[in-house]
Amino acid sequence: MTPNPGTQSVYGPPEPEAGGILTIDLPAIVANWRELARRAQPAACAAVIKADAYGCGIEPVAQALTAAGCETFFVAHLAEGRRVRAAAAGAAIYVLNGLLPNAADTYAQSNLRPVLCSLDEWAEWEAFKTKTKWLGGAALHVDTGMNRLGMRPQEATALARRAGIEHSGLTLLLSHLACSEDPAHSLNAKQIGLFREIRNLFPAIPASLSNSSGIFLGPDAHHEIVRPGVALYGANPTPGHANLMRPVVRLEGRIVQVRAVPEGETVGYGATWTARRATRLAVVSIGYADGFLRAGSATDLRAGAEAMVHGHRCPLAGRVSMDLIAVDVTALPERAVRRGELVALLDETIGVDDLAAHANTIAYEVLTGLGRRYRRVYRG
Ligand SMILES: *Cc1c(COP(=O)(O)O)cnc(C)c1O
């Protein structure tokens, strides 16, 4: 089932009062998941919905993807896992950040599967299962070169030789790629090769290596299940090439004042941006308190973020402040831009990757920072 694109649910202030309006396109998330699933076939496709589904809302995203046929979810935290369980009763839910000390029973209570990251975690989970006869699954995370989470390959090799490992309730063997968005990076081949060796020691257990970009490294990186996150939400998993994902997030900001700035005067905190001509500004009711990154500020030396105003791409002027930004609308006809109107900061033409590039960061940070003050509209 696909979410009905005609329906929508709304949170936050009424439309006329909203400083910013965030529209999340659930059918686009579903379409992106289907496209990634198609490319990963015959591997299954899970969905990573940690960090409130990358800012898009963990419950609506879990529900939409469940309805589309997604059966496995990954989150980072135990509490996120509980929220997914409430939204997706039948799903397999893995908690990437591992097993917290003395907390095995809380994972079991919600039928969550810890991603075991060390021999200590493994031993604690085993002891819990022996004591309680719990039969729920768990994943084993093996580090193949990221050096963040996961046991060393030697530790996994030793574990694989233990008698009965194939009956130990492990439901997934997992590793994570460090450089998948750069297909030319030599660490990809190294990690793919090492993971292949390790997974061969656990032949009965499904394996998972690829995040969003990993899917595009080809079948060697797919194994039994892939784990895309950011691409579901519209970010480009193949930087430098056309984005095959549909845009998901639309962000509009309310113009609260239109003002004239004489040539030579400066705009905003720190007076870092100077009007090089008589300038008209639209002052918009969105700021860094809404997650609109201050690093997207415009100075005399560096262009900042952009806004679409009546179909024109207009640059920011000056620093992003807590609750406001200024957009240079001088290029538009004098009376075309009015107080109360909306400008677009994310749309079909300004993607999450574009905004991230203007703020010297990555789409992940733009998405996970999306503010809580917006009116939020869910399509579908
Ligand atoms: C966040 C995460 C993912 C998803 O990565 P994307 O780059 O967002 O697709 C997959 N696996 C692990 C272990 C992660 O931490």
Side-chain angles (χ1 to χ4, degrees):
M1 225 185 81
T2 305
N4 178 351
T7 61
Q8 56 179 41
S9 14
V10 180
Y11 306 86
E15 208 276 351
E17 292 176 19
I21 301 175
L22 189 67
T23 307
I24 312 281
D25 189 341
L26 293 172
I29 295 178
V30 166
N32 291 340
W33 180 77
R34 290 205 166 116
E35 176 61 15
L36 294 163
R38 190 182 69 76
R39 286 174 181 269
Q41 266 172 7
C45 190
V48 181
I49 57 174
K50 61 195 179 188
D52 202 24
Y54 292 55
C56 290
I58 203 163
E59 286 88 2
V61 172
Q63 282 160 359
L65 289 176
T66 298
C70 181
E71 295 174 344
T72 305
F73 294 101
F74 289 85
V75 294
H77 288 208
L78 179 58
E80 293 175 332
R82 282 200 204 98
R83 287 174 64 187
V84 179
R85 176 56 72 221
I93 303 168
Y94 288 95
V95 180
L96 287 165
N97 284 13
L99 181 65
L100 294 165
N102 310 312
D105 56 328
T106 53
Y107 292 73
Q109 269 156 27
S110 299
N111 190 14
L112 305 176
R113 301 178 176 185
V115 178
L116 305 169
C117 297
S118 67
L119 287 172
D120 280 354
E121 288 181 37
W122 159 264
E124 201 170 317
W125 185 248
E126 279 298 294
F128 168 74
K129 289 198 309 155
T130 307
K131 198 175 94 193
T132 62
K133 311 270 188 297
W134 174 246
L135 295 174
L140 192 68
H141 191 158
V142 184
D143 181 64
T144 51
M146 173 97 170
N147 275 305
R148 189 177 63 174
L149 287 176
M151 60 183 64
R152 303 284 302 171
Q154 301 85 322
E155 295 173 313
T157 305
L159 206 53
R161 300 215 172 95
R162 299 250 292 245
I165 190 76
E166 63 274 23
H167 306 295
S168 65
L170 281 179
T171 44
L172 191 67
L173 185 76
L174 174 155
S175 192
H176 191 44
L177 295 165
C179 306
S180 58
E181 74 288 349
D182 176 6
H185 201 291
S186 58
L187 192 48
N188 289 318
K190 190 177 163 220
Q191 290 196 272
I192 288 170
L194 186 50
F195 189 62
R196 172 83 47 200
E197 282 175 34
I198 295 163
R199 80 82 26 100
N200 286 342
L201 304 174
F202 296 84
I205 301 171
S208 177
L209 178 62
S210 286
N211 65 336
S212 298
S213 296
I215 292 170
F216 295 85
L217 295 177
D220 278 355
H222 291 171
H223 296 276
E224 279 72 42
I225 184 161
V226 296
R227 317 185 299 273
V230 77
L232 298 171
Y233 313 101
N236 188 356
T238 54
H241 299 272
N243 190 358
L244 300 163
M245 299 295 111
R246 274 171 55 179
V248 165
V249 179
R250 181 178 177 82
L251 176 61
E252 296 160 291
R254 177 93 53 202
I255 299 174
V256 288
Q257 187 173 27
V258 181
R259 66 185 304 118
V261 181
E263 182 181 348
E265 290 195 8
T266 60
V267 173
Y269 284 121
T272 56
W273 188 94
T274 314
R276 295 192 183 125
R277 56 180 173 172
T279 295
R280 234 167 326 103
L281 294 184
V283 181
V284 173
S285 190
I286 281 182
Y288 60 75
D290 301 296
F292 197 84
L293 297 169
R294 189 167 172 277
S297 297
T299 72
D300 288 334
L301 301 175
R302 182 181 178 279
E306 295 173 325
M308 290 302 288
V309 188
H310 291 295
H312 288 261
R313 198 177 271 265
C314 299
L316 248 60
R319 280 197 186 149
V320 174
S321 45
M322 186 184 290
D323 313 295
L324 295 164
I325 51 178
V327 179
D328 183 347
V329 293
T330 317
L332 277 90
E334 170 101 38
R335 301 202 172 278
V337 183
R338 293 177 182 275
R339 179 166 72 95
E341 287 181 341
L342 297 171
V343 307
L345 297 153
L346 288 170
D347 66 0
E348 310 74 43
T349 54
I350 306 175
V352 284
D353 296 291
D354 300 319
L355 178 51
H358 283 129
N360 261 325
T361 185
I362 51 177
Y364 300 74
E365 200 176 11
V366 167
L367 287 164
T368 56
L370 289 170
R372 295 165 303 277
R373 192 160 52 168
Y374 298 132
R375 173 180 169 84
R376 252 182 197 248
V377 180
Y378 284 94
R379 284 196 52 235

